[in-house]
Amino acid sequence: MSNDRKQEIMDAAIHVFSRKGFNGSTMQDIAEGCGMSKATLYQHYKSKEQLLLSIFHMINDRLYVKLQAMMKQGNVSSADSLRHQIELQLQDSLAHRDLIRMLITENPNSYTEEVLKASGALRGRIIRHFEQMFKTVYGPRIEPFAVDLVFSMFSLLEQYSVLIVLENVAIGVSELSLYIFKLLDYMADGLMKEDGVKPILGEHNYPEYLRSEMPEPETNSVEGLICRMYRSADLLGKSGKEEQDVRDSILMLDNELKSQSPRRIIVQGMLHNLLRIQEMAELAGRLAALPKIKSYLA
């Protein structure tokens, strides 16, 4: 199935789910929404649960890749990066307001255990990302409270999303993201100063999805593979200069591919560097094999 057709089906499903609710929707409704027969739809997706999971993965993967890329940017402070990432989450919620509306209003009992488990794992991936961001911004003293801060941030984002999506309250995204960042900043500062305060969440009572291995984004795209490279670089354990050289190559390749007119010599050079490193060779080879990248290597 082409990516365009896949996106068309998912868009139709989101529209149907938001209008009728997940429990009240059928595969026939979705098939009609994207102009195909139910039999054809079943060739692509076995059930509406599988389709919903694909939607969750698509949205979460794209958000996660963007968040990871923003975290790796070297031209902004870690605090500014955190604020920009909060804003990105708000923008992402507004971009998928139909789906957010369904998730807010739908009875959780409508979802199967498989859907709940998978959505929890995807949520866990974002939590771990922001846990690392808080540690980067505030240093080792915030570590015991980092996950609590992430949940506080999620609560603020969810409640304001309800106001914006369901109540149509006019709130500026940039203004709100700065406000949430400031609240979290005050909380972090207070927690680090206050003696005797213990975190609510820790290894002893983490939800199950934070104890499981975090799912990686789909790697059939340039963004997904670049994200995997960043993650692999974190695990290299090489000497300082070697590791920095790898990170620099990934960052230069990432920035070049995001530019309006990527320079062939830079793409070729950075890929060549990464292909020579054993731990990066497999991902770099898969990236080089993508049709979009092949044109720069011919």
Side-chain angles (χ1 to χ4, degrees), residues 193-206:
K193 286 180 179 177
E194 190 73 31
D195 293 332
V197 176
K198 295 182 179 180
I200 298 299
L201 290 171
E203 294 289 346
H204 68 287
N205 66 349
Y206 277 160

Side-chain angles (χ1 to χ4, degrees), residues 213-257:
E213 184 177 348
M214 296 297 106
E216 291 289 352
E218 293 182 6
T219 52
N220 60 348
S221 67
V222 172
E223 294 83 359
L225 286 165
I226 291 288
C227 181
R228 290 289 297 276
M229 286 182 183
Y230 280 131
R231 292 289 297 276
S232 295
D234 291 337
L235 303 175
L236 279 179
K238 292 183 176 292
S239 63
K241 185 178 186 307
E242 269 189 300
E243 183 175 341
Q244 192 57 52
D245 286 345
V246 173
R247 290 184 180 280
D248 288 345
S249 293
I250 299 170
L251 184 60
M252 287 185 68
L253 179 61
D254 189 12
N255 289 337
E256 197 64 32
L257 291 174

Side-chain angles (χ1 to χ4, degrees), residues 66-78 81 84 230 251 254-255 258:
K66 291 176 183 177
L67 291 171
Q68 285 278 297
M70 291 178 79
M71 183 170 70
K72 306 297 181 180
Q73 286 179 336
N75 58 344
V76 295
S77 69
S78 56
S81 178
H84 293 326
Y230 280 131
L251 184 60
D254 189 12
N255 289 337
K258 287 176 180 174

Side-chain angles (χ1 to χ4, degrees), residues 6 38 121 127 129 143 257 279:
K6 181 178 179 182
K38 187 166 69 171
I127 291 171
H129 168 88
E143 185 166 348
L257 291 174
E279 297 89 341

Side-chain angles (χ1 to χ4, degrees), residues 135-176:
K135 292 177 184 178
T136 301
V137 173
Y138 297 106
R141 289 184 60 202
I142 204 62
E143 185 166 348
F145 305 101
V147 174
D148 282 320
L149 281 172
V150 179
F151 274 90
S152 296
M153 180 188 73
F154 276 12
S155 295
L156 288 165
L157 288 168
E158 287 167 4
Q159 290 306 311
Y160 281 112
S161 292
V162 168
L163 288 177
I164 295 171
V165 174
L166 290 187
E167 305 296 335
N168 295 315
V169 176
I171 302 175
V173 171
S174 294
E175 178 185 9
L176 179 56

Side-chain angles (χ1 to χ4, degrees), residues 98-137:
D98 285 346
L99 183 63
I100 297 299
R101 184 179 292 109
M102 183 204 79
L103 295 174
I104 291 171
T105 58
E106 189 74 40
N107 185 337
N109 293 329
S110 300
Y111 307 124
T112 64
E113 185 177 346
E114 180 187 11
V115 170
L116 292 173
K117 184 176 181 180
S119 62
L122 293 172
R123 180 182 175 90
R125 185 169 67 180
I126 303 295
I127 291 171
R128 288 301 192 188
H129 168 88
F130 278 103
E131 178 189 17
Q132 184 58 47
M133 275 304 307
F134 281 114
K135 292 177 184 178
T136 301
V137 173

Side-chain angles (χ1 to χ4, degrees), residues 76-102:
V76 295
S77 69
S78 56
D80 283 340
S81 178
L82 175 58
R83 182 175 63 80
H84 293 326
Q85 289 175 52
I86 292 171
E87 183 171 350
L88 175 62
Q89 285 202 105
L90 284 166
Q91 291 171 339
D92 191 71
S93 293
L94 292 181
H96 301 100
R97 62 170 66 229
D98 285 346
L99 183 63
I100 297 299
R101 184 179 292 109
M102 183 204 79

